[in-house]
């Protein structure tokens, strides 16, 4: 199972929107997908229609040892897409795990319980911070996707995240790589968006996905209906962009293992 953390310590950059729409797109082309909602706000769970009263078992129990991966994963309304939902209790895990043994490996050890062939891809929607939850996600992941908003402070925030990735790679997870940087909230009417995009591409080159996600009201509306934008309005510019991004992502992924 390929594990991909979707991470950016800055909030409001389209991280969760990217996670749920890429998960939906991958499921739509036949990949068996598991989405881990690892943000105490639980927005990925809401965006996939998982009600709060249906989150009895969540990513909190998963990392604190209260349940297994199979017990916490629930199906969504999208075929081939399962989710481990999140609830506010997860914020307490940061404190509870500080003194725990192997505290940075909790998610990794939980994901190691996945039955062989159950899922092809696991996407982990990280919280908007560089705390213990995000470190757990990076330690457990094979690669990272970084959604990056096309705004002035983008490169500064990206630098901090890349430093964290390097530290995790050096101490805990030597195989961790940057799968790609996805430019989000691009406004073609704003010269700053184009300037930021050019700056990011000049620094990171081919690591940056060619597809750019535009600002689009339908992307913002979709979560309130408990649907990914790809289901809510598959013809809107935002959905079309995420489908194109998914095609690029698939081109960077290893071929899925055949089901047993």
């Amino acid at each position: 199972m390929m594990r991909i953390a979707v991470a950016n310590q800055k909030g409001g950059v389209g991280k969760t929107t990217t996670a749920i729409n890429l998960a939906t797109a991958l499921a739509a082309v036949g990949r068996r997908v598991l989405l881990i909602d690892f943000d105490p706000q639980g927005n990925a769970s809401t965006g996939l229609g998982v009600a709060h009263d249906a989150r009895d078992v969540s990513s909190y129990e998963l990392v604190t040892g209260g349940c297994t991966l199979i017990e916490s994963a629930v199906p969504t309304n999208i075929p081939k897409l399962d989710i481990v939902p999140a609830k506010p209790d997860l914020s307490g895990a940061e404190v509870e795990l500080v003194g725990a043994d192997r505290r940075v490996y909790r998610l990794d050890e939980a994901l190691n319980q996945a039955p062989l062939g159950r899922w092809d891809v696991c996407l982990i929607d990280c919280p908007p911070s560089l705390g213990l939850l995000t470190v757990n996600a990076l330690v457990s992941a094979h690669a990272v996707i970084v959604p990056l908003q096309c705004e002035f402070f983008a490169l500064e925030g990206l630098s901090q995240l890349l430093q964290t990735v390097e530290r995790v790679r050096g101490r805990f997870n030597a195989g961790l790589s940057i799968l790609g940087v996805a430019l989000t909230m691009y406004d073609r009417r704003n010269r700053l968006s184009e300037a930021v995009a050019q700056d990011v591409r000049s620094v990171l080159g081919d690591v940056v996905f060619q597809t750019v996600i535009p600002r689009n009201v339908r992307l913002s509306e979709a979560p309130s209906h408990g649907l990914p934008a790809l289901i809510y309005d598959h013809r809107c510019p935002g959905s079309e962009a995420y489908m194109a991004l998914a095609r690029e992502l698939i081109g960077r992924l290893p071929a899925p293992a055949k089901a047993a």
Side-chain angles (χ1 to χ4, degrees):
M1 179 173 67
M2 179 71 178
R3 306 175 190 174
I4 304 169
V6 183
N8 191 323
Q9 78 275 17
K10 189 175 184 302
V13 300
K15 176 179 55 60
T16 298
T17 299
T18 297
I20 63 177
N21 282 290
L22 285 180
T24 301
L26 289 169
V29 298
R31 301 290 176 104
R32 296 157 296 180
V33 183
L34 175 65
L35 177 59
I36 307 287
D37 189 348
F38 219 44
D39 185 344
Q41 297 176 85
N43 290 335
S45 306
T46 302
L48 286 173
V50 181
H52 286 276
D53 58 8
R55 305 179 196 179
D56 294 332
V57 181
S58 69
S59 50
Y60 167 76
E61 285 80 14
L62 184 64
V63 295
T64 56
C67 70
T68 66
L69 181 62
I70 291 298
E71 289 170 340
S72 61
V74 297
T76 69
N77 292 325
I78 299 163
K80 296 184 180 294
L81 175 55
D82 297 334
I83 185 171
V84 176
K87 54 188 178 183
D89 292 6
L90 183 60
S91 61
E94 294 257 17
V95 177
E96 293 177 38
L97 294 178
V98 165
D101 292 336
R102 295 179 61 80
R103 61 183 179 271
V104 301
Y105 295 101
R106 289 304 185 94
L107 183 59
D108 181 53
E109 292 170 350
L111 292 178
N112 286 339
Q113 301 170 2
L116 186 64
R118 177 68 177 267
W119 297 287
D120 300 313
V121 181
C122 173
L123 292 173
I124 308 165
D125 184 31
C126 298
S129 72
L130 294 178
L132 189 54
L133 291 177
T134 296
V135 171
N136 257 267
L138 295 177
V139 170
S140 71
H142 300 116
V144 186
I145 291 175
V146 184
L148 192 69
Q149 184 179 3
C150 293
E151 55 100 52
F152 183 71
F153 293 112
L155 281 175
E156 180 178 327
L158 178 62
S159 175
Q160 294 172 1
L161 178 60
L162 294 180
Q163 288 173 16
T164 299
V165 169
E166 283 300 319
R167 292 190 189 103
V168 169
R169 183 185 290 142
R171 294 186 61 187
F172 308 113
N173 183 2
L176 183 64
S177 64
I178 303 294
L179 187 58
V181 173
L183 298 174
T184 63
M185 300 184 178
Y186 184 88
D187 187 346
R188 288 178 172 80
R189 301 167 300 178
N190 188 337
R191 292 182 179 178
L192 179 59
S193 287
E194 178 59 27
V196 170
Q198 290 179 359
D199 284 348
V200 174
R201 292 189 192 280
S202 68
V203 172
L204 297 177
D206 291 341
V207 172
V208 184
F209 290 107
Q210 289 299 310
T211 302
V212 174
I213 309 300
R215 285 191 178 275
N216 180 227
V217 68
R218 305 297 269 179
L219 292 178
S220 302
E221 291 173 354
S224 67
H225 296 270
L227 293 170
L230 292 182
I231 304 296
Y232 178 64
D233 183 355
H234 71 277
R235 294 182 177 177
C236 73
S239 291
E240 290 178 346
Y242 272 118
M243 285 188 282
L245 181 62
R247 286 192 290 271
E248 279 196 74
L249 172 60
I250 289 168
R252 300 187 185 192
L253 292 179
K258 292 183 179 180

